[in-house]
Amino acid sequence: MATIHHAAAEGTAVQPLRAEFDRLIDRREISVVFQPVVNLTSSQVVGFEALARGPDKSAFAMPTAMYEYAYQTDRADELDWICRAAAFRAAMSAAFPPNFTLFVNVEPASLRTPCPPDLRETIDTGLSKLNIVVELTERYLANHPAAVLDAAATARAEGLGIAIDDIGAEPASLAMMPLVHPDIIKLDLSLIQGSPDIAIARTINGVLAEVERTGAIILAEGIETREHANTALAMGATIAQGWRFGRPRPMADRWPRKRSPPLPLLPAEAKSRATPYDLITEERPPRAATKRLLTSLSRHLEYRAADPSEPGVLVACFEDAHNFDRPTQLRYTKVATTAVMVAVLGRDMPNVPAPCVSGTALDPDDPLSSEWVVIVVGAHFAAALVARHRSADAVELDERCYEYAITYDRRLVIAAAQSLMQRIESR
């Protein structure tokens, strides 16, 4: 009886909370405050980050509480659309200057769900009038990498810029950065305010390598003092936000006369349907090899993705699902316990071919379905092995039944990985 009484009391306590939350969602009771983003050298404002707030003195006044409860009640996607629409509406009401960038946090899953009809006009008008960068959280990048890649593709298709938020809080996300191809990389305040150590150095080196490769902008968060600003500059940041430059507050209706030019976004990457084998052998001549040699090389690369000091992304193509046999499934599941993401492709490949492994079925006429591919991308390590069967005439002469190439050129490896990720995203 005591247990029943406890459950009933608990249910009674939950009901008002659920009613309060449903009212917040149904009445769209979300307000927005904005924190300035400035040029670190000149302190000129270049944009604002929109931060959602619930009703004052409510259990859901802060976004963390709102989203935690929204996920528990299966209303997170709707909440995210409401927050985004509130940000767009507040910015447009204040005549947000076109040269400023509006940073908006998004939950990746919501980008793939329909916008509520009553918010559609606000969203469409905002997309057409505002210079928007969507922020994808590093937490999501590490825990739901496939969803983030899907969200990034959707955002780019709508002409939005992409920022990865809170880099440094989750080191594993460094491996995903090249695949997301962010316009802006936001350094977590722990990097700025903490004492330099090996972990911080590893993160900054990974970020600087990505910036050197793509030209992405580094934004530093948590700038409260001159020392923080100097640290951010030393780490390569050119723009920043923090209490030193302004706390979150309602949007102003007066704008500075002198304005910085808009933040530049990276040019869209040209999407190619070329396979990893074609991409790599165009620059690296293939060699003949036995299946035994390729198996050994492949396993070495697979285990590099599981290196706990630098977990990586492992993406592989097995031609056909029957090649992803039981021993291989067990090996890949073990790798997935440490790696950031493990995905496999092949003809008739199930969506979940093994625990913790994502699968994508290839069309029989996709040229990729005739390739053996193993690609690993880490924060500082990248490698790709690609192979195709040799002709019947060549195989008759010796046991070397494959033509293969292997490369550690980060540029080539990322291009090959993106070729596979395109096929995963399109499913």
Side-chain angles (χ1 to χ4, degrees):
M1 292 297 291
T3 303
I4 294 173
H5 174 75
H6 175 73
E10 199 173 67
T12 303
V14 167
Q15 288 174 5
L17 196 64
R18 178 60 192 262
E20 180 183 356
F21 183 76
D22 286 344
R23 184 168 59 251
L24 179 154
I25 294 290
D26 296 338
R27 297 181 181 179
R28 310 319 200 201
E29 294 178 340
I30 299 294
S31 60
V32 183
V33 291
F34 296 84
Q35 185 172 38
V37 175
V38 307
N39 181 299
L40 254 177
T41 303
S42 67
S43 295
Q44 277 189 296
V45 175
V46 298
F48 288 84
E49 179 179 1
L51 302 166
R53 297 288 187 266
D56 287 342
K57 300 181 180 178
S58 158
F60 305 107
M62 299 305 292
T64 302
M66 283 194 291
Y67 275 97
E68 284 181 357
Y69 200 79
Y71 275 107
Q72 292 174 24
T73 55
D74 199 28
R75 302 196 75 174
D77 292 341
E78 186 178 7
L79 173 62
D80 204 49
W81 279 111
I82 295 169
C83 291
R84 208 174 316 154
F88 288 7
R89 189 181 303 112
M92 289 187 292
S93 296
F96 197 77
N99 63 304
F100 281 180
T101 298
L102 180 65
F103 292 82
V104 180
N105 294 277
V106 301
E107 296 293 297
S110 74
L111 290 175
R112 302 293 280 180
T113 60
C115 174
D118 64 302
L119 305 177
R120 183 77 265 174
E121 183 178 357
T122 299
I123 293 293
D124 287 345
T125 304
L127 291 174
S128 66
K129 290 187 175 183
L130 300 170
N131 183 18
I132 299 165
V133 169
V134 296
E135 296 191 14
L136 306 175
T137 66
E138 192 198 38
R139 168 183 54 82
Y140 234 103
L141 199 62
N143 298 329
H144 305 281
V148 171
L149 292 173
D150 216 25
T154 301
R156 288 201 187 284
E158 293 184 353
L160 306 177
I162 295 174
I164 297 180
D165 196 12
D166 300 329
I167 284 290
E170 177 54 69
S173 66
L174 290 173
M176 291 292 295
M177 268 198 309
L179 303 180
V180 176
H181 192 62
D183 301 281
I184 296 172
I185 300 169
K186 298 187 71 173
L187 302 182
D188 186 68
L189 59 83
S190 63
L191 299 177
I192 305 301
Q193 299 182 5
S195 298
D197 57 19
I198 292 298
I200 288 178
R202 184 184 296 118
T203 299
I204 295 303
N205 281 328
V207 169
L208 291 176
E210 177 69 7
V211 169
E212 184 176 33
R213 188 180 70 86
T214 68
I217 296 171
I218 299 177
L219 187 160
E221 298 182 292
I223 306 299
E224 298 179 5
T225 67
R226 181 183 294 276
E227 182 182 359
H228 292 161
N230 290 336
T231 299
L233 286 167
M235 290 180 173
T238 55
I239 58 177
Q241 63 188 111
W243 289 0
R244 179 175 175 81
F245 307 113
R247 300 194 181 203
R249 62 182 184 182
M251 181 63 77
D253 55 5
R254 290 186 179 184
W255 305 102
R257 293 181 180 179
K258 187 178 180 181
R259 299 175 185 173
S260 299
L263 293 175
L265 300 182
L266 299 179
E269 291 184 303
K271 291 201 171 186
S272 169
R273 293 298 289 181
T275 67
Y277 185 91
D278 289 334
L279 287 167
I280 290 174
T281 57
E282 186 176 345
E283 299 187 31
R284 301 289 186 272
R287 299 186 290 271
T290 63
K291 182 177 181 179
R292 181 177 297 178
L293 174 61
L294 294 187
T295 299
S296 296
L297 293 172
S298 295
R299 289 187 179 183
H300 172 71
L301 295 184
E302 291 163 7
Y303 286 119
R304 281 302 302 259
D307 182 350
S309 67
E310 188 186 337
V313 174
L314 170 61
V315 190
C317 180
F318 285 84
E319 301 178 76
D320 194 278
H322 70 75
N323 292 324
F324 193 61
D325 55 20
R326 182 61 177 166
T328 309
Q329 292 172 21
L330 293 173
R331 194 169 71 248
Y332 270 57
T333 295
K334 183 177 180 180
V335 170
T337 61
T338 306
V340 178
M341 174 183 180
V342 177
V344 296
L345 303 90
R347 293 186 298 271
D348 300 320
M349 188 69 73
N351 290 337
V352 185
C356 304
V357 177
S358 172
T360 296
L362 295 175
D363 294 330
D365 58 351
D366 188 332
L368 179 61
S369 65
S370 63
E371 295 185 6
W372 176 346
V373 179
V374 178
I375 297 176
V376 177
V377 179
H380 306 285
F381 175 84
L385 179 149
V386 296
R388 277 181 184 165
H389 289 279
R390 300 178 75 198
S391 67
D393 291 341
V395 173
E396 283 184 3
L397 297 176
D398 59 41
E399 64 175 352
R400 296 176 301 169
C401 53
Y402 286 91
E403 295 278 351
Y404 91 102
I406 190 166
T407 181
Y408 300 88
D409 182 315
R410 193 170 184 83
R411 174 185 57 84
L412 273 179
V413 173
I414 290 170
Q418 288 172 334
S419 170
L420 296 187
M421 298 312 298
Q422 279 181 228
R423 289 165 167 83
I424 294 174
E425 290 169 7
S426 65
R427 295 288 160 176

